Amino acid sequence: MILGIETSCDETAAAVVDPAGRVVSNVVASQKVHELYHGVVPEIASREHVKVLPPVVRKALEEAGVGLHEVKGIAVTAGPGLVGALLVGVTTAKGLALGLARPFLGVNHLEGHVLSPFLEDPDLAPPVLVLVASGGHTLLVRVDALDRLQIVGRTRDDAAGEAFDKVSVLLGRGYPGGATIERLAAEGDPNAFAFPRAWLEEGSFDFSFSGIKTAVRLAVDRDPARREEPAARDVAASFQAAMIEVLVEKTIRAALGVGVPAVAVAGGVAANRTLRRAFEEACRESRLRLVVPRLEYCGDNAAMIAWAGKLRLDRGERSDFDLDADANLPLGAMPNRAPRRSKRARPPRRRPAGPRSSRGSSRGR
Ligand code: KG4
Ligand code: ZN
């Protein structure tokens, strides 16, 4: 049994994956307190994780019907994310690993998202092009094997979910905004406003979403009544249509461009039903296989971390007790050390005095 822990942003999550790779529990506590501030307040997020993580871990074990002694390894998000929030998960994982004398492993949050479609559908086999669209990231990743991930496109400014969140705040609907915009858009006219689509240079699979957000701001500043319904429905629907067109079109172009037969969509934005339908239609037309994970694997969750961590733990990878949380951990740079033969956890090592480089020990793949 592998216990997964995820605390990179404002979801406190724990999950258990069995030896066959099946998710046997998946508990997520979303921090509501940030709604007051129209965005995640890092310090508050850390404090909430400290309060909520122990009962969330307990619940994940209870739901799995597993005692702590049955946990054979611990996988924890080590980055990217909010450093204080990450540290809560990382230190908890270290404490459990030390107390239980079990191995633990720092997992890249983005790798968790990228691999979540493979958790959803065990028949999905690489090569696959995966769109990760969340509140903090928007990436196109070519997966040639479960341990060979290559970024082929990324946002140059805002993440897709961030654009939904900002437009929601512009319309006075608060944070987080994805689901709110989707609801508002359901009754609006997607052709009411011609918001810009940033296609960027010919052949580029990168994204840019800052222009569309500015266009929405100008539209509502020009006529404040557009913040109210019914006009706000048209603003939301037109914004959502522009976002979806670019996300779908770029992903399909990239899949055809790099020559893969399958596409997958992951991250919180993949919860959007209109986006899912648009992907279904576009993939049917282009004869590409499509996998979109169920909703609980789209947003931040620990099942994807436990699952991605299990793959690496099964390969013999381990983290040391000097594992650091890394707010900017890039996809492909794992915070872990070389595979170790001993499966036993090692006691903390004394760190030499002086400045340290958190990347000095990273291994690229
Ligand atoms: O993956 P996630 O839970 O957390 C991050 O790693 O960021 O993604 C959260 C993001 C938020 O920006 C939220 O507004 C967006 O996903 N989101 C949606 C929808 N549900 C959540 N965006 C569009 N439509 C939705 N239905
Ligand atoms: Zn995420």
Side-chain angles (χ1 to χ4, degrees), residues 187-266:
E187 291 166 50
D189 173 5
N191 299 311
F193 296 87
F195 290 132
R197 277 83 166 147
W199 297 112
L200 306 176
E201 319 82 70
E202 179 80 27
S204 168
F205 301 137
D206 282 350
F207 299 95
S208 167
F209 297 118
S210 62
I212 183 169
K213 173 197 65 191
T214 307
V216 173
R217 187 172 54 236
L218 292 174
V220 297
D221 281 353
R222 210 169 295 135
D223 180 359
R226 289 173 177 164
R227 287 200 171 84
E228 312 301 329
E229 291 185 55
R233 296 179 201 151
D234 292 342
V235 176
S238 303
F239 160 76
Q240 180 177 269
M243 292 294 295
I244 290 175
E245 189 180 321
V246 174
L247 287 168
V248 173
E249 181 75 32
K250 284 248 172 188
T251 305
I252 301 290
R253 275 192 213 168
L256 299 175
V258 303
V260 296
V263 159
V265 191

Side-chain angles (χ1 to χ4, degrees), residues 109 113 134 300:
H109 179 80
H113 276 307
S134 72
D300 285 348

